[in-house]
Amino acid sequence: MRPIATTRMAAGIPTGRLAIWWVVASEIVIFGGLLVSYIMHRLAKPEWGDHAANTNVWIGGFNTFVLLTSSLSAVLAHKAAVNGDGPKAAKLLYATCFGACTFVVVKALEWNMEISHGFTISSNTFWSFYYTAAGLHGLHVIAGAIIMLIIAETAKKNLELHRVELIGIYWHFVDIVWIFLFPLLYIAK
Amino acid sequence: MSEHAEHAEHEVNYVKIWAILLVLLVISILGPFVGIKVVTLITAFGIAIVKAYLVAKNFMHLNIEPRYAVYLLVTMLVFMLLLFSGSAPDIMKQEGRNWVKPEIHVEAQAPAHH
Amino acid sequence: MAESIPADAMHAHDDHHHTEQSIWSKYVFSTDHKMIAMQYMFTGMAMALIGGFMAYAFRMQLAFPGIDVPGYGTVTASDYNALVTNHGTIMIFWVAMPVLIAAFGNYLIPLMVGCDDMVFPRLNRLSYQIFLLSAIVLIASFFVPGGGFGGAWTAYPPLSAKSQYSLTALGSSFWLVAVALEFTAFLLGGINFVTTAMNARAPGMKIFDIPIVVWMIVVASILFMSSVGPLIAGAVMLFMDQNVGTAFFDPDKGGDPILWQHLFWFFGHPEVYVVLLPAMGITAEIMCVFARKKMFAYKTFLYTTFATGILSFTVWAHHQFVAGIDPRMANIFTVTTLLISIPIAEMCFIYIATLYGGSIRLTTPMLWALAFVAEFLIGGVTGIFLGASGADIYFHDTYFVLAHFHYTFFPIAIIGTFAGFTYWFPKMFGKMMNDTLGKIHFWGTIIPFNFIFIPLFVLGAAGQHRRIYNYEHFPELAGVEMQDMRVLATVSMLVMLVFQLVFFYNCFISWKKKQKDAGKNPWKANTLEWTTDSPPPHGNWPELPTVYRGPYEYSVPGREEDYFPQNVPD
Amino acid sequence: MIDQYVVALSTYANDIDNLILLIGVLVGFWLILCELVFFYFIIRFRAKDGRRAEYITGEEKSHKRWISYPHMLVLVCDVFIVFFAIKVWYDVKQQLPEPYETVRIVGQQWAWSFVHPGADHELGTADDIKTVDELHIEVGKVYHFKLESRDVLHSFSVPVFRLKQDAVPGRVITGWFEANGTGTHDIQCAEICGIGHALMPAQIFIESPERHAAWVAEQSPVTLASANQP
């Protein structure tokens, strides 16, 4: 039995979505703290541009493309869910998960390449930030993909369709974080 | 449900937004090839902000959410700006009033080649 | 087949069919907000006993250097550092936060806004389980090779980052992981509190009909969620520094130790208000009930709360005046710090104004609430010395700081908790507490409390620094009259600890039916939690209430009774 | 107020003491006023049979005055405190008077080492005098110090000077002091720095010009000391 509390909507936003906004808000400050630390170091140290030159823009760009596309499938899944088409929403969520997996695999290959070139997490503070920020973001990608699979399972049966939108909002947030990580880590040289 | 009706009214063409995002992505990758620093900064960060705005507005549907959701997220960004402006005078500078960070020579482990 | 189903699955099963609950699903894996509140409450109290025991051990060492402390043994220098570090960490993160925010928040928010549970019951249970895990990790940190972390609760690197400096390689990491887990638990809890209070209010409960304590817990949760991020990021960075070989805070390799201080105090200062606000809410609630008064200027009180919350994000570097930050920044932070005294002063004025014209009954909860105001005032005004940059040069890291924040945190975490606990005890357990024993416990706590910390103000003014386990090496501090002060503080603390036994005895006998049944509304209060049975059943009300007015309509003219419950139609 | 416990031996010690006294008077006034009114209300408005509490919302302007005027007064007090706090802070931490000599102070686990400039008043020359846990200075002269740390955070605290400054690894922080009385006093570490934090005492020897010159001569390497003789 679901508590009556969950059905109320005094603030004008359904409870699940309201909570997701708070999740996003607290995630903003987590990534914010890390990125503010990075930006302060980056602005102080022009030589980090040379370190950043060793990152591969094309791989980063490809990953941005993957995430943007998976965002599109997430929002299309939401649209399908709004129209009450659970199986279609589930299929689009699987597509989003596929995007997440591609992202992670490409990331792993990229790191593997960089580490084999001698750029490890303890090389210097730029690389520390590089691996920490991308790693923290990568954990969010993996967590989002797992939750998405669970939601897709229920959505397939046309149950709990509102959750499709919730994971979508979270996913778009992860996307936005990457949109900023990409220029910060790859382009600014 | 009224919520669904609302979405229908604000129906946006998601594929079109996605296409715009991809064009912006290409511009931000190509920006550094111009070789001018200002252009790079604009194509990198200006476009990142535009992209984030497009995603937040159209994919996260912040445009049809009650205003306070936007205010909430913007407040968090303002707090981060506060954190930056409060700590930048210490972290970002090599010297300040009555203190200095002596030069430290940190070498990256020499990369083999690239 | 049935016996192989884990307790968790059983519980989900029970939820659907309302069958008799097993002891596991009722007490351990419950999703009922009241049970989770009790779990937080008793875990917090257990941690308070551990934290109190630590205080006992290191205060004995300070008063009688080198003795064999009964029940502990000799306190070595590394023991001493680990004890003060973990005393601070436990009392803030594992006592004040779980009890004031999580326990009272979980218990009161659904009852006070008139709904049957939190909006995310299973998230709530997960939050407690992570919290419990964090407590276990913290306690485990004492038993790993090298012993507990001893770098102060602020964990400034490089001491906390490098094991060759701290000599507690595992202890530091365990401590950090415990703190990070605790933050995760409270992020989950905070989302739940805020969402519940925003969305699940009873029909008719408008935004200014919400009881102050609910407002305060919500604002505190919001402050927590919006300030803790940088510290979580910092904790990740520090953990990598400890274990992976990065150098975020290591100046030898291009990092900066001051960065951690900024990340820490950007959270650390709002954290003070995170625990202060719920205690202020509890106090306001109790004072209105026992003065039979409407809250003076309810809206102004709320606006000052918001002002405090926002200002609290602009003051953090006053903890770092002499820590090597740029001296020009100190001027800005002095101004913002002193500005924050204005909303806090206004809140205290509102408390005092609320008493005016009242009909005050000095029951045990009311005594605690009044003591909160009286003692917190002292803690508040002594903060001005430390916020004024010029004076802080001398007072920084002395016992004056320590006495100052104990005069704020003790009223918050101990007095506020006892006030809330004694006030809502009839609701939680359905029995009245013994008032005489309650008053003995009250005076036995308050009087020694002042005798612990007033001597420490004097020691601080005399320049005694914190976290030094033995003063014999500092001739100017090892004088006889200084030592007398330390002995006085220690003896007072022993007296206070002994009087806590009265409290546990009182709880025990009151709970064991020796006291009379409380009934639904023993204090004749207005708020919604008093309109249901004591203790409230699962689901809180047979039929959820509707709200018609604000929470503090006491002594309304032209009404026979002097209270006017929120759910009674006009 | 403070010099009752710790003597004031630097030129700015009295400024800091006076600032503390000023704050003490202002906040003491508010504390006592609030507590008096508070306890008066508790006694005056105790519950009595037949008397009902008044119904005051506090929302009318005439009522709100009772809290808004006091908080304006608090603001005025704050302005005073801010003004004098920043003034003292500026003198002690922000501006640096011309130095007579500069000393180097290095904190490490768990000792302070001091580098005195020696007879030529210049740091970094061959006649520098290095000491551990002993700082020798001359009374009535402006000293700069360059504060460093080798490992973790330390804090250079001289209670008789009312001076405190953290030593941060990776930074050199400059400060100043000028003693105005002789004596031997404690230097403490005020920032937790590991197991030996309590075992990090040093002493400051504030000496008259003659004694200080004698100390410098005694400590200086023999050749240099004789070279400096006219």
Side-chain angles (χ1 to χ4, degrees):
Chain A
M1 185 196 69
R2 182 172 290 202
I4 296 164
T6 54
T7 60
R8 287 182 174 165
M9 204 172 89
I13 302 183
T15 303
R17 216 156 79 206
L18 186 61
I20 284 292
W21 289 124
W22 282 107
V23 171
V24 170
S26 40
E27 293 275 10
I28 287 178
V29 281
I30 295 177
F31 280 104
L34 192 60
L35 292 185
V36 162
S37 309
Y38 170 74
I39 291 169
M40 285 188 294
H41 276 288
R42 181 70 186 79
L43 290 175
K45 292 168 183 149
E47 71 269 20
W48 281 23
D50 303 335
H51 302 317
N54 292 317
T55 58
N56 191 323
V57 180
W58 300 105
I59 297 180
F62 177 72
N63 260 347
T64 317
F65 164 74
V66 169
L67 272 194
L68 286 175
T69 312
S70 69
S71 255
L72 174 71
S73 59
V75 79
L76 290 176
H78 167 219
K79 194 175 160 191
V82 168
N83 295 333
D85 190 351
K88 190 182 173 197
K91 268 182 210 138
L92 284 160
L93 283 183
Y94 287 132
T96 317
C97 274
F98 177 71
C101 293
T102 315
F103 179 89
V104 173
V105 169
V106 171
K107 192 98 241 172
L109 293 174
E110 182 193 9
W111 280 14
N112 194 18
M113 198 177 79
E114 277 153 358
I115 291 170
S116 69
H117 284 181
F119 304 107
T120 63
I121 191 165
S122 50
S123 290
N124 61 33
T125 317
F126 170 78
W127 288 103
S128 303
F129 271 113
Y130 172 83
Y131 285 108
T132 308
L136 194 62
H137 176 262
L139 285 180
H140 282 77
V141 171
I142 292 168
I146 291 169
I147 298 169
M148 222 174 299
L149 283 177
I150 297 167
I151 290 177
E153 283 306 311
T154 50
K156 218 190 279 173
K157 300 169 205 143
N158 264 330
L159 296 171
E160 310 278 7
L161 283 182
H162 67 286
R163 288 184 181 165
V164 176
E165 179 181 20
L166 307 184
I167 188 64
I169 292 176
Y170 171 83
W171 194 253
H172 302 313
F173 167 74
V174 173
D175 188 17
I176 288 179
V177 171
W178 184 257
I179 285 175
F180 284 103
L181 280 180
F182 174 58
L184 280 171
L185 297 176
Y186 290 87
I187 297 183
K189 286 175 177 163
Chain B
M1 279 170 79
S2 65
E3 190 203 335
H4 289 177
E6 211 177 5
H7 276 273
E9 276 170 36
H10 293 80
E11 194 61 75
V12 280
N13 188 340
Y14 297 120
V15 180
K16 198 172 124 198
I17 303 289
W18 173 72
I20 297 172
L21 287 170
L22 290 192
V23 171
L24 290 174
L25 169 65
V26 171
I27 296 173
S28 64
I29 294 177
L30 296 180
F33 290 97
V34 180
I36 306 166
K37 202 174 178 193
V38 183
V39 175
T40 305
L41 284 178
I42 293 171
T43 54
F45 296 102
I47 282 184
I49 291 169
V50 175
K51 277 197 285 189
Y53 171 78
L54 285 175
V55 171
K57 183 184 166 200
N58 297 305
F59 287 0
M60 294 169 106
H61 298 111
L62 270 173
N63 54 343
I64 48 173
E65 203 71 326
R67 282 288 95 181
Y68 66 83
V70 183
Y71 295 147
L72 167 67
L73 302 184
V74 172
T75 313
M76 299 297 159
L77 294 175
V78 172
F79 285 152
M80 286 305 100
L81 196 66
L82 265 176
L83 174 66
F84 180 84
S85 46
S87 34
D90 302 313
I91 312 302
M92 216 175 87
K93 296 200 171 158
Q94 288 304 304
E95 58 181 337
R97 179 68 63 91
N98 301 347
W99 62 267
V100 58
K101 288 181 194 166
E103 204 57 44
I104 303 162
H105 299 284
V106 188
E107 287 302 314
Q109 284 174 12
H113 54 81
H114 128 111
Chain C
M1 185 68 200
E3 60 270 12
S4 69
I5 296 173
D8 213 20
M10 291 279 282
H11 168 64
H13 183 76
D14 287 346
D15 251 10
H16 286 283
H17 295 282
H18 274 281
T19 48
E20 193 57 40
Q21 291 178 312
S22 76
I23 194 153
W24 279 95
S25 58
K26 188 165 181 208
Y27 294 108
V28 182
F29 294 108
S30 173
T31 53
D32 183 18
H33 72 100
K34 297 181 288 294
M35 187 50 65
I36 294 172
M38 287 301 119
Q39 291 172 339
Y40 266 117
M41 178 82 79
F42 290 114
T43 316
M45 283 186 177
M47 291 305 275
L49 288 177
I50 296 173
F53 176 74
M54 290 176 171
Y56 155 79
F58 65 70
R59 280 266 26 129
M60 288 298 278
Q61 158 67 20
L62 285 172
F64 314 104
I67 67 153
D68 193 18
V69 178
Y72 186 87
T74 316
V75 180
T76 64
S78 59
D79 281 0
Y80 181 86
N81 285 355
L83 286 172
V84 281
T85 301
N86 287 286
H87 168 77
T89 318
I90 285 177
M91 286 303 188
I92 291 173
F93 293 135
W94 277 273
V95 178
M97 289 194 53
V99 173
L100 283 169
I101 299 188
F104 283 118
N106 261 319
Y107 199 87
L108 295 176
I109 290 179
L111 280 169
M112 280 187 147
V113 303
C115 61
D116 51 353
D117 205 334
M118 303 295 272
V119 290
F120 301 112
R122 282 176 299 175
L123 189 70
N124 210 6
R125 180 181 58 186
L126 179 66
S127 156
Y128 173 73
Q129 288 165 346
I130 296 177
F131 170 75
L132 186 66
L133 180 67
S134 76
I136 293 168
V137 173
L138 186 81
I139 293 167
S141 79
F142 268 81
F143 301 102
V144 295
F149 174 56
W153 82 284
T154 51
Y156 283 176
L159 182 62
S160 57
K162 289 193 172 180
S163 56
Q164 71 261 39
Y165 296 147
S166 65
L167 309 179
T168 54
L170 277 173
S172 313
S173 293
F174 269 59
W175 181 90
L176 194 62
V177 168
V179 170
L181 282 174
E182 201 262 3
F183 290 160
T184 315
F186 279 94
L187 275 177
L188 299 179
I191 290 166
N192 217 343
F193 299 148
V194 175
T195 324
T196 306
M198 281 175 83
N199 246 359
R201 297 198 301 275
M205 183 176 262
K206 290 189 282 298
I207 198 156
F208 291 119
D209 295 338
I210 303 174
I212 284 286
V213 64
V214 175
W215 264 117
M216 291 294 178
I217 291 170
V218 167
V219 174
S221 300
I222 294 175
L223 287 183
F224 178 79
M225 285 192 279
S226 34
S227 65
V228 78
L231 186 55
I232 292 182
V236 171
M237 289 150 80
L238 187 57
F239 188 80
M240 310 268 270
D241 269 15
Q242 287 172 346
N243 298 301
V244 186
T246 58
F248 293 112
F249 305 121
D250 180 2
D252 296 339
K253 295 188 195 153
D256 195 332
I258 303 264
L259 174 61
W260 166 267
Q261 302 184 7
H262 282 292
L263 295 175
F264 183 88
W265 288 115
F266 185 80
F267 161 75
H269 199 83
E271 167 69 12
V272 175
Y273 297 95
V274 170
V275 290
L276 166 66
L277 294 178
M280 286 200 126
I282 290 168
T283 311
E285 210 67 41
I286 294 170
M287 278 172 60
C288 290
V289 171
F290 293 104
R292 316 308 293 167
K293 272 291 303 287
K294 190 178 168 71
M295 173 117 204
F296 191 89
Y298 170 98
K299 285 185 188 170
T300 313
F301 194 81
L302 275 187
Y303 297 146
T304 54
T305 311
F306 301 150
T308 314
I310 289 177
L311 274 175
S312 71
F313 282 91
T314 64
V315 300
W316 78 90
H318 65 218
H319 298 269
Q320 302 162 257
F321 280 153
V322 299
I325 65 167
D326 195 293
R328 289 166 293 190
M329 292 303 286
N331 300 333
I332 298 168
F333 283 104
T334 301
V335 175
T336 52
T337 304
L338 287 201
L339 269 183
I340 214 169
S341 70
I342 292 165
I344 293 287
E346 186 143 339
M347 285 165 126
C348 290
F349 294 151
I350 287 175
Y351 280 139
I352 296 171
T354 301
L355 290 182
Y356 177 84
S359 172
I360 297 169
R361 280 182 295 147
L362 293 181
T363 55
T364 313
M366 183 62 164
L367 283 177
W368 285 112
L370 294 174
F372 172 84
V373 178
E375 305 285 8
F376 181 77
L377 272 171
I378 302 176
V381 298
T382 48
I384 306 278
F385 290 94
L386 305 168
S389 50
D392 186 61
I393 302 170
Y394 182 64
F395 282 135
H396 182 79
D397 257 332
T398 63
Y399 266 56
F400 193 91
V401 178
L402 187 142
H404 153 68
F405 71 71
H406 277 90
Y407 256 103
T408 57
F409 273 114
F410 188 93
I412 291 168
I414 309 297
I415 300 184
T417 301
F418 281 136
F421 191 79
T422 49
Y423 176 61
W424 279 293
F425 186 89
K427 185 51 62 184
M428 290 169 175
F429 301 99
K431 304 279 171 197
M432 300 302 287
M433 280 186 109
N434 184 318
D435 212 41
T436 319
L437 283 176
K439 282 176 180 163
I440 292 172
H441 171 233
F442 170 77
W443 292 112
T445 306
I446 290 297
I447 296 171
F449 159 63
N450 286 292
F451 280 99
I452 298 172
F453 292 108
I454 287 175
L456 298 192
F457 272 126
V458 177
L459 284 173
Q464 173 176 323
H465 289 131
R466 299 163 65 185
R467 297 165 181 161
I468 288 180
Y469 90 106
N470 190 337
Y471 289 90
E472 285 161 0
H473 302 284
F474 299 103
E476 285 169 337
L477 293 174
V480 177
E481 67 289 355
M482 295 290 167
Q483 195 57 32
D484 287 348
M485 294 280 186
R486 285 179 206 125
V487 174
L488 173 59
T490 300
V491 171
S492 309
M493 194 204 65
L494 294 178
V495 173
M496 192 176 89
L497 286 184
V498 169
F499 269 98
Q500 303 316 305
L501 295 177
V502 179
F503 169 73
F504 290 109
Y505 176 70
N506 192 358
C507 287
F508 184 71
I509 60 152
S510 308
W511 176 64
K512 273 282 171 198
K513 299 181 182 173
K514 290 213 175 112
Q515 290 289 317
K516 64 174 177 171
D517 281 340
K520 278 188 178 180
N521 192 357
W523 310 118
K524 294 190 168 45
N526 281 348
T527 39
L528 290 178
E529 79 271 26
W530 301 107
T531 61
T532 184
D533 294 335
S534 312
H538 195 88
N540 295 344
W541 285 275
E543 196 176 333
L544 295 184
T546 305
V547 169
Y548 296 94
R549 68 188 53 74
Y552 302 116
E553 298 299 318
Y554 293 103
S555 310
V556 180
R559 232 183 107 79
E560 195 183 326
E561 292 139 331
D562 63 352
Y563 66 113
F564 203 171
Q566 282 188 283
N567 66 335
V568 175
D570 288 313
Chain D
M1 188 155 124
I2 300 299
D3 55 8
Q4 194 180 326
Y5 303 108
V6 188
V7 287
L9 284 185
S10 72
T11 47
Y12 47 65
N14 277 325
D15 296 341
I16 291 178
D17 287 359
N18 290 339
L19 173 65
I20 291 169
L21 186 65
L22 170 85
I23 300 173
V25 169
L26 289 177
V27 304
F29 165 75
W30 282 107
L31 176 66
I32 291 166
L33 182 73
C34 286
E35 299 277 6
L36 282 180
V37 175
F38 183 68
F39 283 107
Y40 171 72
F41 282 178
I42 293 173
I43 294 159
R44 166 76 179 71
F45 296 108
R46 285 289 292 275
K48 287 193 202 85
D49 285 342
R51 192 178 65 80
R52 225 179 132 105
E54 292 174 46
Y55 184 78
I56 304 167
T57 62
E59 301 290 351
E60 295 101 52
K61 272 212 170 105
S62 58
H63 288 150
K64 244 186 204 153
R65 270 208 300 256
W66 286 98
I67 54 170
S68 59
Y69 287 0
H71 102 244
M72 293 297 171
L73 292 175
V74 171
L75 184 59
V76 173
C77 294
D78 278 355
V79 171
F80 269 100
I81 295 172
V82 166
F83 178 78
F84 286 103
I86 289 181
K87 188 167 173 293
V88 170
W89 176 264
Y90 180 83
D91 287 343
V92 179
K93 290 281 181 187
Q94 204 166 323
Q95 59 100 29
L96 295 173
E98 272 305 299
Y100 164 72
E101 273 185 355
T102 303
V103 291
R104 214 172 135 225
I105 304 174
V106 182
Q108 68 187 76
Q109 280 182 330
W110 291 281
W112 291 104
S113 43
F114 302 97
V115 183
H116 304 76
D120 63 352
H121 308 308
E122 289 282 333
L123 267 182
T125 53
D127 68 341
D128 287 357
I129 303 169
K130 290 181 184 156
T131 56
V132 175
D133 287 344
E134 281 186 17
L135 173 61
H136 291 258
I137 60 156
E138 196 178 320
V139 69
K141 291 280 175 19
V142 174
Y143 279 82
H144 280 193
F145 59 83
K146 301 263 181 209
L147 189 58
E148 296 161 46
S149 167
R150 279 214 188 114
D151 35 43
V152 299
L153 299 177
H154 300 278
S155 187
F156 177 71
S157 168
V158 188
V160 290
F161 285 174
R162 313 286 186 265
L163 173 66
K164 193 170 288 146
Q165 178 61 55
D166 280 15
V168 184
R171 278 165 201 242
V172 179
I173 299 168
T174 311
W176 72 281
F177 53 79
E178 180 186 347
N180 59 5
T182 56
T184 303
H185 293 282
D186 281 350
I187 294 173
Q188 301 172 4
C189 178
E191 186 65 64
I192 193 161
C193 57
I195 291 172
H197 176 52
L199 309 170
M200 212 175 146
Q203 292 203 300
I204 185 164
F205 295 82
I206 314 167
E207 295 157 343
S208 62
E210 303 79 48
R211 279 199 58 188
H212 187 67
W215 179 82
V216 170
E218 182 192 318
Q219 295 291 318
S220 297
V222 182
T223 49
L224 281 168
S226 55
N228 280 341
Q229 297 293 330

